[in-house]
Amino acid sequence: QVQLVESGGGLVQAGGSLRLSCAASRSIFSINAMGWYRQAPGKQRELVASITSGGSIIYVDSVTGRFTISRDNAKNTMYLQMNNLKPEDTAVYYCNVPRGGLDYRRDYWGQGTQVTVSS
C-alpha cells in the first residue's frame, strides 16, 4: 500500500507558475507508473500527465509545452511543474498510482490540491 499527499497548490495569476508535489509514504522506486489528474467543477476527472519508472512520459495536449512531470525516487516524491498557467487550468489536482502500478488489484489517490488561476 501507499499513501499519497499532494501539496503546492494555490492561487496564481494567468501566466504564473506553480510546482505541485506528491509525497509517497513508501519508496516509489518499484512503482511502475504514477500520474497527475485534475478535475474542474462540473467536469470529469482527466489525466494531465503520467510517468513510468523507466522515464516514459505522456501529457494531455492542452498542457504540452507548459507542464513538466518528474519523479525523484530518492525523495519518494513526484512533481508537476506548471508554467504559463491559464484560467482553464483551474481544478483540483490529484496524484495517482494506477492499478498495476503498485498493486494489480487497485489504484491509489491523494486527497487533491486546489489550483486556481485568475485572469
Side-chain angles (χ1 to χ4, degrees):
Q1 288 193 350
V2 62
Q3 283 76 47
L4 305 171
V5 179
E6 301 96 334
S7 61
L11 173 64
V12 65
Q13 288 188 335
S17 298
L18 286 173
R19 188 176 80 155
L20 305 184
S21 298
C22 171
S25 61
R26 51 158 286 164
S27 171
I28 65 171
F29 181 80
S30 60
I31 297 180
N32 296 327
M34 301 180 71
W36 289 97
Y37 281 74
R38 67 185 179 187
Q39 188 167 19
K43 295 188 177 182
Q44 289 189 330
R45 192 173 296 191
E46 67 168 349
L47 175 66
V48 176
S50 68
I51 184 168
T52 68
S53 57
S56 296
I57 292 172
I58 60 171
Y59 296 102
V60 67
D61 287 347
S62 60
V63 308
T64 298
R66 299 188 297 122
F67 291 11
T68 303
I69 188 172
S70 62
R71 56 191 285 175
D72 186 334
N73 291 342
K75 295 183 178 180
N76 300 332
T77 302
M78 179 178 64
Y79 302 98
L80 186 68
Q81 177 67 43
M82 306 186 295
N83 297 329
N84 190 21
L85 283 160
K86 303 177 180 181
E88 51 264 43
D89 295 318
T90 295
V92 178
Y93 284 71
Y94 297 91
C95 176
N96 168 261
V97 175
R99 184 179 302 179
L102 177 64
D103 186 337
Y104 71 92
R105 296 165 295 182
R106 61 163 293 180
D107 58 2
Y108 297 89
W109 294 91
Q111 83 288 350
T113 186
Q114 176 71 48
V115 172
T116 303
V117 184
S118 63
S119 58

